[in-house]
Amino acid sequence: SAEEIARDMRTPIGGAARSDGEAPHVDIDAPAGGEVVWDVVTVTATATDDVGVAGVRFSVDGQPIGTEVVAPPYWVTWDT
């Protein structure tokens, strides 16, 4: 029926969508907190989430650096 088709169109592939009850957790691995950096630096991070991580966006003082990294390892180069 049209109702069944409409319901199927709203159901994600693999069944009902899982609720994401927890915020993702991100740790900056390098450079170390408080470390003074200059020139070009590689910034690395570890990201986890109870449902999954779609990507990591790096920023410094609210300004993005690099583009979103969608798979581990999560890293970007930053020209200070």
Side-chain angles (χ1 to χ4, degrees):
S1 72
E3 182 180 318
E4 290 172 320
I5 293 170
R7 187 173 47 246
D8 286 346
M9 295 297 288
R10 291 187 303 269
T11 302
I13 294 173
R18 231 178 115 188
S19 172
D20 191 353
E22 294 182 27
H25 181 83
V26 179
D27 286 315
I28 298 295
D29 301 320
E35 183 177 347
V36 176
V37 297
W38 62 93
D39 204 17
V40 178
V41 177
T42 300
V43 181
T44 61
T46 304
T48 58
D49 185 69
D50 63 326
V51 173
V53 176
V56 172
R57 294 181 189 149
F58 292 86
S59 63
V60 174
D61 296 328
Q63 298 301 310
I65 56 172
T67 58
E68 182 176 24
V69 183
V70 297
Y74 302 108
W75 66 276
V76 66
T77 55
W78 174 40
D79 188 351
T80 63

